[in-house]
Amino acid sequence: MQPAAAKWYDRRDSVFIEFCVEDSKDVQVNFDKSKFSFSCVSGTDDIKHQNAVELFGEIDPKESKHRRTDRSVLCCLRKAEPGKSWPRLTKDKAKCNWLSVDFNNWKDWEDDSDEDLSSFDKFSEMMNSMGGDDLPDLDGADDEHESADSDDEST
C-alpha cells in the first residue's frame, strides 16, 4: 500500500484536495473533525493507495464531499471556521512527499474581493449538480429543503 499523490489549495470556506489516481475504484473517503482518510485501488495493476491526514484546522464532516472522476478524486473539506486561512494542509509542519500545493488554483483570497467567493459558489453548484453514487447520502435533506423553498416561491 502506498500514498496517492495529491495537490491541495485553500479557499475562504473550504480546502480542496485532489488525489491524482487514474481509474480508481473502491474509493473510500472518511471525514472527521480534525482529520480525514482516503483509500482506493487504481490502475490496471490494482495498486492500493491509502492516505491519512491530521488537518491544520477543523472541518465540518457533514458538509465535506468528494467526487470521483476517471483521472482523480477531488475532496472538498468545508472549514469549521470560514474565512480563516490555512497556511498548510497538515497539522504538522513536516513535509509529506506525496502532497503538493496546487498553484494553478491557489489564490491569496484574504486580500481579494468577493470574486473568489463567487468562484467557490460556482464550484459548490457544480459539486451539487453532478450527482452520482460517490457522494455521501447527505443530499436527501437538501432536496427536501429545496422543494420546500420552491413551494414557498409559488404561493
Side-chain angles (χ1 to χ4, degrees), residues 11-14 78 82-83 107 109 112-124:
R11 285 291 190 270
R12 195 176 311 277
D13 295 332
S14 299
R78 182 68 81 156
K107 290 184 181 176
W109 55 262
D112 282 352
S113 64
D114 289 340
E115 180 183 332
D116 259 344
L117 196 56
S118 66
S119 67
F120 172 78
D121 289 340
K122 288 176 190 170
F123 182 83
S124 293

Side-chain angles (χ1 to χ4, degrees), residues 85-105:
S85 171
W86 286 23
R88 62 187 178 277
L89 178 67
T90 59
K91 185 176 183 178
D92 296 328
K93 289 185 179 181
K95 180 158 174 48
C96 298
N97 60 355
W98 53 267
L99 182 65
S100 62
V101 173
D102 185 349
F103 287 107
N104 290 335
N105 288 306

Side-chain angles (χ1 to χ4, degrees), residues 3-18:
K7 301 181 289 185
W8 81 283
Y9 60 98
D10 184 34
R11 285 291 190 270
R12 195 176 311 277
D13 295 332
S14 299
V15 173
F16 295 91
I17 307 162
E18 183 175 17

Side-chain angles (χ1 to χ4, degrees), residues 60-143:
D60 181 349
K62 292 180 180 165
E63 291 296 317
S64 298
K65 300 178 180 182
H66 74 280
R67 167 72 48 216
R68 186 189 97 53
T69 67
D70 289 340
R71 299 185 57 79
S72 66
V73 177
L74 180 63
C75 299
C76 172
L77 285 66
R78 182 68 81 156
K79 292 180 182 177
E81 293 183 56
K84 184 177 178 186
S85 171
W86 286 23
R88 62 187 178 277
L89 178 67
T90 59
K91 185 176 183 178
D92 296 328
K93 289 185 179 181
K95 180 158 174 48
C96 298
N97 60 355
W98 53 267
L99 182 65
S100 62
V101 173
D102 185 349
F103 287 107
N104 290 335
N105 288 306
W106 190 272
K107 290 184 181 176
D108 191 13
W109 55 262
E110 290 178 305
D111 300 329
D112 282 352
S113 64
D114 289 340
E115 180 183 332
D116 259 344
L117 196 56
S118 66
S119 67
F120 172 78
D121 289 340
K122 288 176 190 170
F123 182 83
S124 293
E125 242 175 65
M126 181 185 75
M127 289 285 283
N128 289 335
S129 67
M130 287 175 83
D133 52 6
D134 288 333
L135 290 176
D137 193 18
L138 299 174
D139 293 332
D142 291 339
D143 291 341

